[in-house]
Each structure stands twice: as structure tokens, then as C-alpha cells.
Amino acid sequence: MTAPTPSATIQTIDTPDGAFTLITDGAGRVLASGWTADAGTMLARIHPALRPDTVREGQTDAATAVAAYYAGDLAAIDAVEVAQRGTALQQTGWRALRAIAPGRPLTYTEFATEMGHPRAVRVAASICARNAPALFVPCHRVLRSDGSLGGFAWGLDVKRALLARESV
């Protein structure tokens, strides 16, 4: 169980896909991240038990990893620690998302199977939707069974661009 976050750091950087904001706790773990410059949107994505009491602007190591990812080092995001609060199944799903290799997206059905619950396709989709540290937990690597993009909290244009970048 993760302790509440008394304070956190927020940083917004420019990426080819637009502004990218991340919030990290005192240990540098990403609590939430995504393609927006709106701090309120990012804070709302953090589970209430992990939501920080105070947030200050600053530099984060995670932002360095994002810049490296966009510069072509797709593995740069893999070593960045994240903190999310959820059920045991959600935790299993978020770990499974981190195991999906760039350029090798899975369908929701395949993702459910990777989680060890092949019939839990709707649960798999819900796990993706509740993923707060986007990019670091790459929910964009999950597609509909027909190969179409499906949904993405940050927009289908961003999802399409990420998948194209990773398919190289």
C-alpha cells in the first residue's frame, strides 16, 4: 500500500504531440501524466489516496525520460517508477501494460489474456481508461479486436502518433 503524497512536483514540457504534463511524488514516481497543460486535469487523474496536499513546479527526472522517448529511445520510459492505487486486478493490468513492447500493440482480448483473465475484456478496457501515468504505463498500446484505435484519454491523434513512432 502506498502512503499519501504530502507534496509533489509538476512539470509541463513540449512534445511533438503537444504539451505533456507530469506530476511526481517526493520519490520521483509518476502519479499522473498526459498530453495537456492543465494542472487540474492531471490532479484529478490521481487516486484520492495518493493526491498530493501541495504541488510545486519544478524539474523531474521523468520529464528527461519523456524527452529521450521522443528523441527515439523508446525504452527510456521503462525504468521510470509510477505510483497508482487500485484493486489487485487493476495493479496486475497496469503491470501487464508496462510489459507490452513498443511496436507490438495488443488487442483488448490479448491484453486480458496477458493479465491472466481472458474473459475480462471489458475490465481490460476499464484498466486502460483508469491509467493515470500515461506513456509510462503505455495503455496506448492496446487496440480494439478489429485493429482500430479504440479510445484514448488524450485523443486518437496522440494515440495514432505514439503507435506510429513506436512502429519504426
Side-chain angles (χ1 to χ4, degrees):
M1 188 167 264
T2 308
T5 306
S7 65
T9 302
I10 188 168
Q11 183 177 7
T12 301
I13 62 172
D14 291 325
T15 74
D17 297 319
F20 185 84
T21 299
L22 33 71
I23 299 175
T24 60
D25 66 10
R29 299 175 303 174
V30 177
L31 300 172
S33 56
W35 289 266
T36 181
D38 183 353
T41 296
M42 295 315 316
L43 284 166
R45 293 189 65 82
I46 301 171
H47 188 283
L50 295 176
R51 200 165 292 141
D53 296 329
T54 59
V55 178
R56 63 174 176 75
E57 288 188 29
Q59 302 294 309
T60 65
D61 290 338
T64 302
V66 173
Y69 169 88
Y70 274 101
D73 181 1
L74 301 179
I77 58 172
D78 296 344
V80 176
E81 289 188 50
V82 300
Q84 293 198 81
R85 194 87 176 264
T87 66
L89 185 55
Q90 286 172 324
Q91 295 291 338
T92 297
W94 292 325
R95 280 190 302 276
L97 284 170
R98 292 200 89 178
I100 301 171
R104 315 228 35 201
L106 300 178
T107 65
Y108 286 107
T109 302
E110 292 168 331
F111 173 52
T113 300
E114 288 295 312
M115 290 187 331
H117 298 274
R119 293 188 175 154
V121 176
R122 288 189 181 176
V123 172
S126 174
I127 287 168
C128 289
R130 286 179 169 68
N131 177 43
L135 188 62
F136 302 99
V137 178
C139 56
H140 65 274
R141 295 179 185 158
V142 182
L143 307 171
R144 288 186 174 159
S145 59
D146 64 3
S148 65
L149 294 178
F152 189 56
W154 308 108
L156 295 183
D157 288 343
V158 172
K159 184 171 184 171
R160 189 177 294 107
L162 293 170
L163 292 171
R165 182 171 290 103
E166 294 178 354
S167 70
V168 175

